[in-house]
């Protein structure tokens, strides 16, 4: 979740594809060029910023044809111009809100989200996947406010961030197919009381942290009240599976569990921007 760590991971991914290490100023363009390689995704990144399309756009058609985000696309209906204009305005305002909460958190979102599909499917939430880097799907709920839009962007941006780290270093020492087995499942911090595959339980726990941080910053307690105990329980359960994380994954897990024990939002603010957490092995975790 640290901006320096994100830069380092992204630069390593770019180097693996292009043999070049971009400087900070060229990172966005280099990342977009790297993931435009057909080995990463079927359609290249088009231009700068976040490209927004809808249920009739090329990404929606591709996802529907290939069974990606089926739970989100199922039930999708047509949308009109005013609806789309309102969504566009909400996304713009949501990015501004992320900037207000944490400029470096906004920087991570701007770097890693390149394409956004917004649709009305009746399923409130979003989606991202490791095999389509840069792509996020969002289905706003009818009661969503600006913070909901902002949290959805950060939520999916953090998933994309974890995917980049996993591509560069790996996270587990077991193949993803084995992580589906019951013996490797762990409690979910979000789907409270449910046991999920280890990688999904880990991702869900990690992405609760910036969402709780954002709500706390805005004086909202819903997610803090809902997830404080479940995140601690999830961390305790994930630690039982620590041997199945590789060295890099164990470092991420340890940092997650430190927050889970303390629920310290000053720590989160520091973690997002501090050079202590940058590089492959943050000094804070050494």
């Amino acid at each position: 979740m640290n901006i320096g760590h994100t830069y380092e991971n992204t630069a390593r991914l770019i180097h693996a594809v292009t043999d070049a290490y971009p400087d900070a100023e060229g990172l966005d363009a280099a990342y977009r060029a790297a993931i435009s390689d057909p080995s990463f995704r079927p359609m290249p990144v088009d231009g700068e910023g976040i490209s927004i399309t809808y249920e009739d756009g090329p990404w929606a058609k591709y996802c529907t044809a290939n069974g990606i985000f089926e739970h989100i696309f199922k039930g999708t209906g047509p949308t009109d111009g005013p609806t789309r204009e309102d969504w566009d305005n909400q996304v713009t305002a949501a990015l501004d809100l992320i900037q207000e909460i944490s400029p470096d958190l906004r920087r991570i979102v701007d770097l890693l989200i390149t394409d956004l599909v917004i649709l009305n499917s009746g399923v409130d939430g979003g989606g991202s996947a490791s095999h389509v880097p840069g792509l996020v799907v969002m289905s706003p709920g009818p009661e969503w406010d600006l913070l909901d839009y902002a949290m959805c962007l950060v939520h999916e941006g953090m998933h994309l961030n974890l995917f980049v780290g996993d591509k560069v270093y790996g996270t587990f020492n077991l193949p993803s197919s084995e992580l589906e087995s019951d013996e490797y499942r762990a409690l979910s911090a979000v789907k409270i009381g449910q046991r999920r595959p280890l990688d999904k339980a880990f991702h869900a726990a990690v992405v609760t942290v910036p969402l709780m941080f954002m709500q706390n910053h805005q004086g909202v307690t819903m997610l803090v009240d809902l997830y404080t105990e479940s995140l601690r329980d999830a961390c305790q359960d994930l630690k039982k599976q620590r041997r199945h994380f590789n060295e890099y994954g164990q470092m991420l897990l340890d940092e997650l569990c430190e927050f889970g024990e303390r629920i310290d939002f000053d720590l989160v603010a520091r973690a997002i921007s501090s050079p202590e957490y940058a590089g492959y092995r943050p000094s804070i975790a050494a």
Side-chain angles (χ1 to χ4, degrees):
M1 192 166 65
N2 172 267
I3 183 64
H5 190 68
T6 300
Y7 273 31
E8 174 70 15
N9 287 0
T10 305
R12 288 181 180 272
L13 179 65
I14 293 164
H15 180 261
V17 179
T18 67
D19 290 327
Y21 274 119
D23 57 22
E25 290 71 23
L27 193 67
D28 290 75
Y31 173 68
R32 288 163 180 259
I35 66 172
S36 292
D37 188 292
S39 64
F40 275 94
R41 44 183 253 173
M43 288 178 276
V45 179
D46 183 20
E48 301 177 351
I50 298 176
S51 175
I52 300 178
T53 55
Y54 312 96
E55 77 281 346
D56 55 355
W59 273 116
K61 292 176 181 177
Y62 174 81
C63 290
T64 301
N66 290 275
I68 303 172
F69 309 125
E70 287 182 292
H71 68 291
I72 301 176
F73 279 96
K74 185 178 180 180
T76 298
T79 54
D80 58 21
T83 298
R84 295 180 179 189
E85 183 178 359
D86 179 63
W87 283 339
D88 291 359
N89 291 336
Q90 293 280 11
V91 168
T92 298
L95 291 170
D96 289 341
L97 177 58
I98 298 169
Q99 175 76 23
E100 175 188 323
I101 293 171
S102 170
D104 284 332
L105 197 58
R106 163 72 186 271
R107 184 76 188 90
I108 293 171
V109 169
D110 284 343
L111 172 65
L112 296 176
I113 300 179
T114 63
D115 297 89
L116 176 64
V117 179
I118 314 180
L119 47 86
N120 180 15
S121 70
V123 177
D124 302 354
S128 51
S130 60
H131 58 289
V132 277
L135 176 66
V136 166
V137 173
M138 174 192 290
S139 178
E143 304 301 321
W144 275 24
D145 60 17
L146 187 58
L147 182 59
D148 291 314
Y149 280 86
M151 290 195 302
C152 184
L153 291 170
V154 169
H155 179 151
E156 301 307 334
M158 284 302 126
H159 278 301
L160 294 176
N161 207 353
L162 288 168
F163 293 144
V164 170
D166 189 62
K167 285 182 182 296
V168 175
Y169 302 117
T171 306
F172 303 95
N173 53 31
L174 293 170
S176 58
S177 57
E178 287 192 35
L179 296 177
E180 298 284 338
S181 300
D182 288 346
E183 63 184 299
Y184 303 125
R185 288 179 175 251
L187 284 171
S188 172
V190 178
K191 298 182 178 180
I192 299 173
Q194 293 188 27
R195 303 185 69 82
R196 302 187 68 194
L198 186 57
D199 53 347
K200 294 181 175 60
F202 177 64
H203 265 243
V206 170
V207 300
T208 62
V209 176
L211 304 188
M212 292 168 71
F213 168 72
M214 292 174 72
Q215 281 206 343
N216 180 74
H217 184 279
Q218 296 303 103
V220 180
T221 66
M222 183 186 71
L223 290 185
V224 179
D225 295 341
L226 183 63
Y227 291 149
T228 292
E229 290 303 319
S230 65
L231 178 59
R232 286 178 178 150
D233 291 342
C235 286
Q236 290 300 314
D237 214 33
L238 286 164
K239 285 197 289 188
K240 296 175 185 176
Q241 303 280 5
R242 191 174 185 274
R243 67 189 182 279
H244 301 305
F245 289 75
N246 65 13
E247 182 187 19
Y248 179 74
Q250 288 179 0
M251 180 268 292
L252 297 180
L253 176 63
D254 293 345
E255 292 299 331
L256 168 67
C257 292
E258 180 183 355
F259 172 77
E261 286 298 317
R262 297 167 58 182
I263 313 295
D264 182 349
F265 294 110
D266 290 335
L267 171 65
V268 177
R270 182 165 62 90
I272 293 171
S273 300
S274 174
E276 292 175 284
Y277 292 87
Y280 164 68
R281 170 66 85 171
S283 60
I284 198 72

